[in-house]
Amino acid sequence: MFYRGRYVDGADGREMGAKRQRVIDQGPSFYGASPGPSFMYNPPPYGYVSHPPPFPVVRLRGLPFDCTEADVFDFFHGLDIVDILFVHKGGKFTGEAFCVLGYPMQVDFALQKNRHNMGRRYVEVFRSKRQEYYKAIANEVSDARGGSPRRSGSRARSYDEAKESAEHTGVLRLRGLPFSAGKDDIVEFFKDFMLSEDSIHFTMNAEGRPTGEAFVEFANAEDSKAAMAKDRMTLGSRYIELFPSSVEDMEASVSKGR
């Protein structure tokens, strides 16, 4: 089950109760140089009687230090990627990441990419567990909220002071969104404000894929300033950073992906 940027199963899924779920679009095939019938993927009916299906997550090691989510997406081309979580330590990228897939059977296909190259580096791919993925999420969120030396105290204070002193025009830029986030997720994130889906604008890269950023137009500057209280709160498995922006910046950024 996929809920707002986070894959959940078993007890986690039941806890969601009647909350709305997002449906993952299923890709037509797995990656392969010459996809044929053997690569066509049809998710099997879940016939797990005695236990729930395994959590579909793999861990990557040896990633280039300038690696982006789009690079991982390309590396696993053809698989349904639900979430990509880069692992940091002391504020620096470790070259490791977790990748949550859409279906348990896709893990076996992802493992076939073990020791394949990403740029000039070969990447190790191995099985992981739900608990390891959730622990990594907790560590990243803790870092972002100042729970570790990811940012020095003085640097964090100046960073926050700059945000607080910035002029508000009614537009906020969001950074760190899950690839799968939709406009309804952002409406829910800002549920204390009256937002329409037309006021939400995602940015895309040159290939037309989400960058993990979006712009939101609020009714007025007072609302956008009040919405900054949501800075570094989580949407699914991701903490979201908010920045005061402008209509000009929004239009320039959105037009780049067209």
Side-chain angles (χ1 to χ4, degrees):
M1 180 190 301
F2 179 55
Y3 181 73
R4 301 201 181 288
R6 175 183 173 190
Y7 193 100
V8 295
D9 66 352
D12 294 300
R14 289 191 292 275
E15 288 173 6
M16 294 299 181
K19 291 184 179 179
R20 180 163 46 83
Q21 303 172 9
R22 173 177 301 284
V23 178
I24 304 169
D25 289 331
Q26 169 190 326
S29 66
F30 288 116
Y31 56 81
S34 300
S38 62
F39 282 90
M40 295 304 291
Y41 178 66
N42 293 305
Y46 287 115
Y48 301 92
V49 177
S50 59
H51 55 80
F55 189 81
V57 60
V58 294
R59 189 166 185 168
L60 294 82
R61 185 165 58 197
L63 294 167
F65 285 97
D66 60 351
C67 177
T68 66
E69 291 178 327
D71 294 327
V72 178
F73 196 95
D74 288 339
F75 186 72
F76 287 130
H77 177 70
L79 298 182
D80 300 297
I81 295 179
V82 171
D83 190 26
I84 299 168
L85 180 73
F86 291 114
V87 178
H88 296 82
K89 187 174 182 180
K92 296 181 179 180
F93 177 44
T94 63
E96 295 191 13
F98 289 87
C99 184
V100 181
L101 303 165
Y103 305 96
M105 286 189 66
Q106 292 192 345
V107 169
D108 292 329
F109 286 85
L111 293 174
Q112 293 179 20
K113 297 289 285 186
N114 184 41
R115 293 185 174 271
H116 283 218
N117 276 35
M118 181 183 291
R120 295 182 178 181
R121 302 190 65 170
Y122 74 84
V123 177
E124 293 180 273
V125 182
F126 47 97
R127 294 181 188 276
S128 187
K129 297 179 180 179
R130 179 185 62 173
Q131 292 82 355
E132 294 172 339
Y133 166 66
Y134 284 174
K135 183 178 179 180
I137 291 171
N139 290 339
E140 292 295 309
V141 172
S142 176
D143 282 358
R145 292 177 176 170
S148 78
R150 183 172 180 177
R151 294 184 303 181
S152 67
S154 60
R155 183 179 175 188
R157 282 193 297 273
S158 63
Y159 179 81
D160 292 334
E161 288 168 1
K163 284 188 178 183
E164 290 175 6
S165 62
E167 179 182 359
H168 279 268
T169 65
V171 178
L172 292 184
R173 177 167 65 93
L174 285 65
R175 185 170 70 186
L177 293 167
F179 275 154
S180 53
K183 291 186 176 183
D184 56 336
D185 294 309
I186 295 178
V187 169
E188 176 67 18
F189 186 70
F190 291 117
K191 61 184 178 182
D192 296 330
F193 301 88
M194 295 297 292
L195 292 180
S196 69
E197 293 193 354
D198 290 339
S199 67
I200 299 167
H201 312 274
F202 290 99
T203 62
M204 304 291 176
N205 62 19
E207 288 74 38
R209 292 174 179 160
T211 64
E213 294 194 3
F215 289 82
V216 177
E217 297 179 275
F218 290 83
N220 50 57
E222 289 74 21
D223 279 1
S224 68
K225 187 173 183 178
M228 286 295 295
K230 302 285 288 184
D231 185 30
R232 284 177 287 198
M233 290 191 179
T234 55
L235 192 161
S237 64
R238 303 290 190 87
Y239 72 90
I240 308 301
E241 290 187 278
L242 306 181
F243 303 87
S245 189
S246 66
V247 173
E248 292 77 16
D249 288 343
M250 176 185 72
E251 291 177 346
S253 298
V254 172
S255 64
K256 286 180 181 178
R258 291 175 179 170

